[in-house]
Amino acid sequence: MIQRIQTVYLALVFILSFVCLISPLGAYSVQHTEVADFSNFCFTTFGLYKGYESAGPWCLGVLLILVMFLTTMSIMLYRKRMRQLRLTIISTILLVGYVACYALFAWKYGLALDDYTKGLVSVDFRPSFMAMFPVLNIILNCLAIHGIRKDEALVRSLDRIR
């Protein structure tokens, strides 16, 4: 199980997803002053702009938890390569959805802060380093899918020889 390279890729997906789940995803600033935080489960403003909070991005956290669950199941199903392949593909699709939702929420909350300031000052969004982990997870999942397919082809070729 551990000696297979796709297991290492899937373990890295799990670890990066967990780190992304517990860390902030970005910050909004007005004139170089941070005014809001954006994380997987909530959007919070503070300072002069306090008063706008939203639990809207909770779906981001749920998507990451689902990815972590599917990745764990995929690691445990190392003998059933076709199921492992399907779970990894589903996990990749969920991660693509996560990236799309992240971009949508970042844009939506930027517009909300612009409306809150009535367009007098510009609101800047700075994504954190952890925001690129889902993109890395997509790449790692693709590498794991390649490894699983290669293993399946090897096993089928050995079955054909017998």
Side-chain angles (χ1 to χ4, degrees), residues 23-37:
S23 60
L25 297 176
Y28 290 90
S29 61
V30 173
Q31 298 174 347
H32 305 292
T33 304
E34 197 170 299
V35 295
D37 276 338

Side-chain angles (χ1 to χ4, degrees), residues 74-134:
S74 184
I75 290 172
M76 296 302 162
L77 291 172
Y78 65 94
R79 290 185 187 208
K80 298 177 180 163
R81 284 169 297 282
M82 293 313 289
R83 283 189 189 160
Q84 187 181 34
L85 181 68
R86 287 185 198 113
L87 287 176
T88 308
I89 290 171
I90 292 169
S91 173
T92 305
I93 292 168
L94 287 176
L95 283 167
V96 169
Y98 177 88
V99 171
C101 285
Y102 171 76
L104 180 72
F105 278 120
W107 176 71
K108 176 188 166 206
Y109 291 129
L111 287 180
L113 281 174
D114 259 350
D115 288 345
Y116 192 75
T117 60
K118 297 180 181 36
L120 299 175
V121 290
S122 67
V123 178
D124 299 321
F125 178 68
R126 286 177 315 190
S128 71
F129 179 71
M130 308 305 169
M132 76 171 193
F133 283 177

Side-chain angles (χ1 to χ4, degrees), residues 4-151:
R4 296 171 60 208
I5 190 68
Q6 57 265 27
T7 304
V8 175
Y9 294 145
L10 293 171
L12 283 173
V13 167
F14 181 85
I15 291 168
L16 292 177
S17 295
F18 180 74
V19 169
C20 185
L21 182 69
I22 62 173
S23 60
L25 297 176
Y28 290 90
S29 61
V30 173
Q31 298 174 347
H32 305 292
T33 304
E34 197 170 299
V35 295
D37 276 338
F38 179 49
S39 67
N40 281 309
F41 291 103
C42 67
F43 171 77
T44 310
T45 58
F46 45 86
L48 295 174
Y49 300 94
K50 186 165 179 72
Y52 186 81
E53 292 189 21
S54 175
W58 61 268
C59 67
L60 293 175
V62 170
L63 282 173
L64 274 182
I65 290 171
L66 282 173
V67 165
M68 289 170 49
F69 176 73
L70 289 175
T71 302
T72 304
M73 291 299 298
S74 184
I75 290 172
M76 296 302 162
L77 291 172
Y78 65 94
R79 290 185 187 208
K80 298 177 180 163
R81 284 169 297 282
M82 293 313 289
R83 283 189 189 160
Q84 187 181 34
L85 181 68
R86 287 185 198 113
L87 287 176
T88 308
I89 290 171
I90 292 169
S91 173
T92 305
I93 292 168
L94 287 176
L95 283 167
V96 169
Y98 177 88
V99 171
C101 285
Y102 171 76
L104 180 72
F105 278 120
W107 176 71
K108 176 188 166 206
Y109 291 129
L111 287 180
L113 281 174
D114 259 350
D115 288 345
Y116 192 75
T117 60
K118 297 180 181 36
L120 299 175
V121 290
S122 67
V123 178
D124 299 321
F125 178 68
R126 286 177 315 190
S128 71
F129 179 71
M130 308 305 169
M132 76 171 193
F133 283 177
V135 176
L136 287 174
N137 285 345
I138 292 170
I139 294 168
L140 288 170
N141 268 346
C142 289
L143 290 172
I145 288 169
H146 178 70
I148 295 167
R149 283 186 178 153
K150 201 161 96 173
D151 274 0

Side-chain angles (χ1 to χ4, degrees), residues 81 151-162:
R81 284 169 297 282
D151 274 0
E152 183 64 21
L154 178 68
V155 168
R156 286 188 186 206
S157 72
L158 291 176
D159 285 345
R160 193 172 359 131
I161 291 173
R162 290 181 191 177

